Amino acid sequence: MDLDPPRTPRAVEPGKFGIGLVLVGAGYALLVAASSLAQNGVKVAPWWLVFTYLLHTFGELSLSPVGLSATTKLARSASSA
């Protein structure tokens, strides 16, 4: 009987990293769209920033664990606690 929990395949990590990068990039694209509207004299609502922060937060939540895990795996064993 195998009591170890199933492990996720290693191919999932680059996908999560890619999703995080796309979300952060979408947040910056949203800022570019809002700044273009503001340059044309349109009043821009604060919701643009709220949605940008939301995209950046979800992107960071996807990026950070993968980056920390990769750093831990790639670090020398003497430098990790």
Side-chain angles (χ1 to χ4, degrees):
M1 179 183 240
D2 188 17
L3 297 177
D4 291 333
R7 294 187 170 245
T8 58
R10 305 256 314 147
V12 173
E13 292 175 357
K16 287 182 183 178
F17 200 82
I19 289 170
L21 287 177
V22 167
L23 288 173
V24 172
Y28 283 116
L30 196 62
L31 281 178
V32 168
S35 67
S36 297
L37 288 173
Q39 283 181 347
N40 292 333
V42 178
K43 288 190 177 183
V44 180
W47 288 106
W48 288 87
L49 281 178
V50 171
F51 289 128
T52 299
Y53 288 147
L54 187 69
L55 286 171
H56 284 184
T57 299
F58 287 146
E60 279 294 320
L61 286 174
S62 180
L63 278 172
S64 182
V66 176
L68 289 174
S69 174
T71 303
T72 303
K73 289 176 190 172
L74 295 173
R76 297 182 311 184
S77 60
S79 62
S80 62

